[in-house]
Amino acid sequence: MKKKPLDRLNKLIIFGLLTVFAVVSLLPLYWVFSTSLQLSSYQSQDMERPVSYVDSNPPKMYPMGIPLYFKHWGEAREAAKAGDTEEEAYHRDMMDHIVSNSFGSFKNLFKKHDVGKWFFNSIYIAVVVTIGILLIDSMAGYVLAKKKFPGRNLIFWIIISTMMIPGQVTLVPLFIMVGNLGLMDTHWALILPDLSMVFGVFLMRQFMYSIPDELLEAARMDGASEWRTFWTVVLPLARPGLAALGIFTFMNVWNSFLWPIIVLNTAELYTLPVGLKTLQDANLASFKLLMSGAAVAAIPMIIVFILFQRYFVKGLTLGGVKE
Amino acid sequence: MKAGYASRTPASLLGGGNMTQMPMGAVPKKKDEKLKVIGKAKGNPRKLFYEMKRNYSAYLFLLPKLILFTLFVAIPVVWAFVLSFQKYKIFGSEFVGFENYIKVFESDAFRIALKNTLLFTVVTVPFGVISALVLSTLIFELGKLSQSLFRSAFYLPTVTSMVIIAMVWRWMYNYDFGLFNYVLGWFGVGPVNWLGQSNTALWALIIMQCLIPFGVGIIMYLASMGSISQSLYEAARMDGASRFKQWIHITIPLLKPTTLYLVLLSTIGSFQVFTQIIMMTGGGPGSATETLVHLIYKTGFRDFEFGLAGAQSVVLFVIILIFSVIQFRVLRHDE
């Protein structure tokens, strides 16, 4: 069906308006990257002392290294033309300085702080939890959707009813529990509770319903075991659901914050968000360094989002909107 | 997503909608059959045992989740309620009746945190949902390509950790070189110590929340708008209804289930606001930005008053529950 076409002007106005809003909404994220690359120390010949563009007022809206690099580049070329080698060498040095200063905080971050370790921890935990959740929840969702056995509905309702309880309610008991199990200040303290999230069971169960019984029946006729049926028939058919669940699990674990700051005490074990908080708290880090850390934490999620965008949309609408 | 830590969990992202919109029990058409089987099994222990044995593989498939669920969800949930009636000690906690709850309701800290959280919710939730509605209406007018472009632009901040967003906004509110004071300077106003004084700190956080787009809302509204039949609009056009009237009388009423879901979702998220608080103000200055979850965090893990923190969390749960029921009733009312 066709919509009544809006005239071009209206469309243009809407486009312009939305662009403004989009810019406002993306500004903070832009700022992370801009500041992480901002020139923090610069002194040209006519300056008395070096300036930092990181916390200058008025704020610099883009990395100052870019225009200054080209300025020196141009001047170096002119000096070369005029045959002034000393002047040329000076400008070449300035160019090197600008590059190393602009990217310097990333190097610092990995050399002087534990960011490399935090990054690895975050990836490791997110990957382990995502794979675990996909396997465990699709197994549970499959039998809850496709098998009839005593207690099925009871189990399902008990699991689902806890979905409405906000996570904070169990913080304290979970803390005591993790302590009793001797897992405090370990990555297991993050992984095990994350693997227990119930949302995936619900999502996978909804998804498994759409798998035709005939296919399962056919597999059984061929003499496939339960596990084989699940592995070779059910899982491939559930792929879109798995993709959506996997992405949300990854995002959720990658960004998780409250629970990690409670159970982790050792700097080496921190995940990125926890590490960033301690960097900010320590007040040792410059704003440029902080923003570089934030950029390191943001980039993986942005890549995941760009690559799997359609699954994000699918995952959100799958759960929420009645088709 | 709107505020907070738990609001970012997929459970709250997606679960609520189904709570309200989809039947979650068995598939209706198979109901009779299943009732028969279980009914029979219930009546006869031997039959029950036989059914269980015949389906042993189903239990094996469920086992990993059940073990994890029991250890890290079921037991903690029950324990949370028990704990709230106890004075916790490592060896032998003692029951103290309602003492913790009395403490909760008598303490100024809790009252202030509740007031702040309520104010935060009452402003940011309607703003977030309405702005998502307006933005998605505008986006929906555009072509496919621009639609997905803007959808991504508004959703991108949602996938970024609130920790990062809070760090940037701390800079934006910086007294000396923040963006806000710079912009205010153009108009000869300020500078304002946004986060440093008690009469602006909470509002600074509220403004921040309002300016983070409600990405989930936009995606869900767009999806729902796409499923509205165009014939309704055509009929309205025949009757000479303006576009605005069509929006008011067709679009908005038909989006109501989505609106209900989004309101519930963001209210729950908003009640759990935490990350911004700990990253930007620590609840201060004084207790100007103290919120419920931050208070629970402080009580439990800084003061280690487990019983009291348990009681606070139970009260938070009940408040969220009450709000959800009210919203459900009100928004469902005239259907």
Side-chain angles (χ1 to χ4, degrees), chain B residues 226-243:
Chain B
S227 63
I228 297 177
S229 160
Q230 285 301 316
S231 57
L232 288 170
Y233 292 106
E234 261 156 42
R237 260 203 302 280
M238 303 264 207
D239 294 344
S242 68
R243 290 189 76 87

Side-chain angles (χ1 to χ4, degrees), chain B residues 197-272:
Chain B
Q197 52 189 34
S198 38
N199 54 345
T200 53
L202 185 59
W203 282 101
L205 295 175
I206 290 174
I207 292 171
M208 163 184 165
Q209 193 63 45
C210 289
L211 287 178
I212 301 171
F214 186 15
V216 178
I218 290 170
I219 285 187
M220 301 225 11
Y221 269 133
L222 282 173
S224 310
M225 281 175 185
S227 63
I228 297 177
S229 160
Q230 285 301 316
S231 57
L232 288 170
Y233 292 106
E234 261 156 42
R237 260 203 302 280
M238 303 264 207
D239 294 344
S242 68
R243 290 189 76 87
F244 182 70
K245 272 206 166 145
Q246 290 172 29
W247 190 63
I248 295 284
H249 293 292
I250 300 173
T251 314
I252 291 182
L254 286 175
L255 290 179
K256 215 168 173 188
T258 313
T259 306
L260 168 66
Y261 168 55
L262 292 175
V263 169
L264 283 171
L265 178 72
S266 52
T267 305
I268 293 172
S270 187
F271 267 110
Q272 300 172 346

Side-chain angles (χ1 to χ4, degrees), chain B residues 33 86 99 114 133 146 167 187-188 203 211 226 278 293 335:
Chain B
E33 192 188 340
Q86 283 181 331
E99 197 183 289
L114 181 62
L133 177 64
S146 352
M167 283 166 74
F187 306 101
W203 282 101
L211 287 178
I278 196 170
V293 173
E335 270 191 284

Side-chain angles (χ1 to χ4, degrees), chain A residues 316-323, chain B residues 18 21-22 220 223-224 227 258:
Chain A
L316 284 171
T317 47
L318 193 75
V321 183
K322 204 164 139 187
E323 295 292 334
Chain B
N18 294 286
Q21 288 164 15
M22 280 183 173
M220 301 225 11
S224 310
S227 63
T258 313

Side-chain angles (χ1 to χ4, degrees), chain A residues 131-142:
Chain A
I131 293 173
I133 279 275
L134 287 181
L135 185 67
I136 293 171
D137 288 5
S138 56
M139 281 162 64
Y142 165 59

Side-chain angles (χ1 to χ4, degrees), chain B residues 168-189:
Chain B
V168 191
W169 276 82
R170 218 168 94 125
W171 167 83
M172 302 234 255
Y173 283 132
N174 185 292
Y175 182 79
D176 296 312
F177 47 83
L179 192 64
F180 272 81
N181 282 343
Y182 172 61
V183 172
L184 280 185
W186 294 347
F187 306 101
V189 185

